[in-house]
Each structure stands twice: as structure tokens, then as C-alpha cells.
Amino acid sequence: MSHKYIALCLIFITLGCKPQSHTSKDTPTTYLDSTVTADFTLAFGSCNKQDETNFLWDDILKTQPDVWVWGGDNIYADTDNMQRLRAMYDQQNAIEGYKKLKENTPVIGTWDDHDYGLNDGGVDFHKKKESQQEFLDFMGVEKNDPRRTQEGVYTSHTYKTPQGSIKVIVLDTRYFRTALTPDTKTKKRTKPNAYGDGTVLGERQWTWLSNELYDSTADFNVLVSSIQILSNEHGFETWGNFPHEVDQLKKLIADSKAKGVMILSGDRHISEFSKTEIEGLPYPLIDFTSSGLTHSYTRFKNESNPFRVGKVVSTKSFGLIRFNFKTKETHMQMLGDGLKLLGELHQAY
């Protein structure tokens, strides 16, 4: 499916130049004030309490996404009781707005700690195997799917259109993630592990991810991580607590030569864009954080993020990315209730 949007202004891109990102200074009121024609549209979000009203489902539907991506904390369960977990998933599935989305749009995604079953939980959660099956049921995964027998919910999906293709690589940052290091000297919850100590993905998932990127022929490759990868100074969960794995991921992205790699993340109850340059990568790596859907960090004032581009959005929102295969361009937006535009970033690849 391909969507066409009216362009209200032109973006001039000089062929052969290094791709540049752009943030609008004159932010339009709604997402309809688009500057990019879309061949494929991806919507995503995270931090969704099943017992609180989500006012964004109708807005998400109006954007006519080609796929909806759950970024984690799709429900808030925090339980090792599988009957309770199943009931909460059933509660979410019964919500009218979400039912309409599923009827019209493919749904994929990953989990985070609250739907995994344990706040900040990782490899040691004793019900992770059982919880995985409940998550896969919620996602409508067939009983003969390989994810039913593998450890972890990681997977990939490739979407082909007449104009080009997109590969969505869904990571599992819970099943294999080893212990965090508490910060006992500041008010922060955690601090980075000693370099080389611990893992986010685990050896098997790292091997799988390497194969996915090296073998990819897609025009864009979207990595879905429930926790932020670039922002690393806030003291909560982040890949930055495992700095050697951040470096490993950056090197893998550059060495694989996979095209148009970007990151989607959630967890933080705020939305923001983070960006960094990587040696050997001809475009900046963007980490687009979208959180949350039913609740957000409304009291947010300030937080250090050396990679941040633009402002933090601390109101309820979801993320939208429109891809243009001809110009190798993405238009990323943070959208609130009524499709209010809260932030945007253009990136050419």
C-alpha cells in the first residue's frame, strides 16, 4: 500500500552531497503540513496502560500506516502470574480503538519490562519462557512460527512495495539482558557497567542481528529496541549501561553496509530524537524515541542527552515515519491527540 500526501513546501536535495538532517523552525499545526511524499508509512509507540484511556488510536488510524510497531510496555502487568498476564492482554485486545487498528493495519513489535513481567527485568526473570508465549499470543503469532520455540521474541519483517523495501528488525532487550549496576553515589538509578561487562542482546541474538544486517537488501533498515540506544546519561535503562555493546552495534551497522539504518525506541515516557555520527557510515544514526501512549513524564524539566536533536516532548504521543524510496528520505514526526505536530525531523540517506 502506498500513500500520497500533499507537499506544502519543497525540500531541495543536491545529489551526491552528504545527507543532512533538518528540523523545522516553523512547526506546522498538524502532520498534514507534510513536506514529503510517502511510499511507506510506519507508526509506532510504547508505554500503554491497558486500564487507562488511549486517546491516540483514532489519530493513528487517520495516518493510514502500512504497519503499527509496538515499542514495548504494550500493557502494564508486572506479574509472574500467567493467568493475570493473559487477562491484561485480553483487556488490551478488547479496546475498540485498538481493535479497529488491528482490522486495518498489520501489527508487529517487541516487549519491555512491564509486559515482560518484571520492572527492569532481564535474564533472571523466572517466568520469561511462559511470558514469551503470552506475548506471542497477544501479537497473533502462529503456533508453528519459529519464535514459539526460540529463546527471545526477536524477529524481522520485510515489506516490499513497487518503489522499494523496508526491513524492520525487532530486538529483544529483555530475555538475555544481564544485571545492571546500581548507582550508589548519585540520585540516578543505574550507572554504566565496567566496559565489556554484561550484555543486552546475548550471544545468539547478536549473531542473528549480524546476519540480518549483512544479508539485508532493503532500502531502509529499522531497528526496534524497547530501550534507548544513544541517550546514555539519564540513569535509567539504556544501552549506555553496556557501553561496549553500543560500540559493537555502531561498528556492525557501519561494517554491514546495510542501507538506511535507523533506531526506534521507547520506555522513557518522553519522546525525543537523538543523533550521532559513526565512522564509515555516510549518514547520521538516528534514535527516534516515542513514549508514551497513555501516560508521559509531564513534569519533565531537564535531562542530559548529548545526542539530542530538538526538544523533548513530554506529552502523550506516537511516532510516525514516512519513507520516500526515490529520494532516500524519511520524514519523522511526533504526533499528539488530534494529530497535533509536536516535533519532526527530516533525514536523507
Side-chain angles (χ1 to χ4, degrees):
M1 176 169 61
S2 175
H3 305 302
K4 294 184 178 180
Y5 299 87
I6 299 174
L8 300 184
C9 59
L10 298 176
I11 295 178
F12 294 94
I13 300 175
T14 304
L15 297 177
C17 293
K18 183 178 179 180
Q20 298 292 322
S21 59
H22 168 70
T23 52
S24 173
K25 294 182 180 179
D26 300 316
T27 304
T29 303
T30 72
Y31 93 106
L32 291 173
D33 293 315
S34 171
T35 59
V36 176
T37 299
D39 299 312
F40 189 92
T41 300
L42 180 154
F44 77 106
S46 63
C47 300
N48 176 80
K49 291 184 177 180
Q50 70 281 0
D51 53 1
E52 291 190 11
T53 302
N54 184 335
F55 294 101
L56 299 172
W57 291 127
D58 60 330
D59 299 298
I60 295 166
L61 269 169
K62 288 175 183 176
T63 67
Q64 297 182 281
D66 293 293
V67 65
W68 166 258
V69 182
W70 281 114
D73 289 339
N74 313 317
I75 61 168
Y76 276 66
D78 295 300
T79 182
D80 60 3
N81 183 313
M82 294 302 107
Q83 288 184 330
R84 290 185 60 195
L85 180 62
R86 188 177 310 127
M88 294 179 202
Y89 277 133
D90 289 343
Q91 183 180 355
Q92 175 58 40
N93 271 324
I95 293 172
E96 195 61 33
Y98 182 55
K99 286 170 63 177
K100 289 181 180 179
L101 179 69
K102 289 196 300 178
E103 290 169 359
N104 292 276
T105 308
V107 174
I108 64 173
T110 190
W111 57 10
D112 200 35
D113 52 346
H114 295 293
D115 39 354
Y116 183 58
L118 178 66
N119 186 38
D120 290 352
V123 66
D124 293 330
F125 181 48
H126 70 287
K127 286 288 187 177
K128 62 183 182 180
K129 290 184 178 181
E130 295 84 349
S131 181
Q132 175 171 332
Q133 297 306 313
E134 299 299 332
F135 169 80
L136 296 176
D137 286 345
F138 170 67
M139 297 296 294
V141 175
E142 298 291 337
K143 294 297 183 181
N144 61 351
D145 189 282
R147 280 172 286 176
R148 292 289 185 174
T149 55
Q150 77 175 24
E151 291 188 298
V153 302
Y154 59 89
T155 189
S156 69
H157 308 265
T158 298
Y159 300 94
K160 297 181 179 180
T161 78
Q163 295 79 26
S165 64
I166 290 176
K167 189 174 193 177
V168 182
I169 301 173
V170 179
L171 304 178
D172 186 333
T173 66
R174 289 293 154 195
Y175 203 96
F176 307 98
R177 200 224 67 215
T178 53
L180 303 171
T181 301
D183 189 337
T184 58
K185 295 184 179 180
T186 75
K187 293 182 179 181
K188 294 180 179 180
R189 185 181 298 176
T190 63
K191 65 180 180 180
N193 291 3
Y195 197 89
D197 183 15
T199 183
V200 177
L201 298 185
E203 183 177 352
R204 186 177 302 175
Q205 189 175 183
W206 267 115
T207 299
W208 168 83
L209 175 58
S210 178
N211 291 335
E212 290 291 326
L213 286 174
Y214 271 98
D215 294 343
S216 179
T217 59
D219 297 279
F220 294 97
N221 291 272
V222 181
L223 302 182
V224 181
S225 169
S226 65
I227 57 175
Q228 290 181 308
I229 293 179
L230 295 185
S231 181
N232 58 6
E233 295 184 359
H234 46 68
F236 298 102
E237 287 200 88
T238 167
W239 278 58
N241 289 326
F242 303 83
H244 58 289
E245 296 224 331
V246 177
D247 290 344
Q248 182 176 343
L249 181 62
K250 291 177 179 178
K251 186 175 188 303
L252 173 59
I253 291 171
D255 290 350
S256 71
K257 307 299 183 185
K259 293 181 284 187
V261 179
M262 67 197 70
I263 298 163
L264 309 184
S265 59
D267 177 58
R268 294 299 325 289
H269 306 168
I270 59 172
S271 297
E272 64 179 344
F273 298 112
S274 302
K275 179 178 74 171
T276 191
E277 302 285 343
I278 298 176
E279 184 178 355
L281 197 68
Y283 54 86
L285 180 65
I286 305 294
D287 185 344
F288 182 178
T289 302
S290 182
S291 171
L293 291 167
T294 60
H295 57 293
S296 60
Y297 187 15
T298 55
R299 293 177 296 172
F300 178 89
K301 292 183 179 179
N302 189 34
E303 172 183 293
S304 178
N305 176 3
F307 305 100
R308 181 178 298 134
V309 178
K311 296 181 179 180
V312 167
V313 170
S314 59
T315 56
K316 301 167 190 174
S317 65
F318 69 96
L320 193 76
I321 307 178
R322 281 172 283 179
F323 299 83
N324 186 302
F325 293 109
K326 184 177 181 180
T327 62
K328 306 301 181 188
E329 181 183 30
T330 62
H331 185 202
M332 309 179 194
Q333 295 180 313
M334 304 167 187
L335 300 172
D337 192 21
L339 292 176
K340 182 178 180 181
L341 181 58
L342 304 172
E344 66 177 347
L345 180 70
H346 293 80
Q347 180 62 52
Y349 290 87

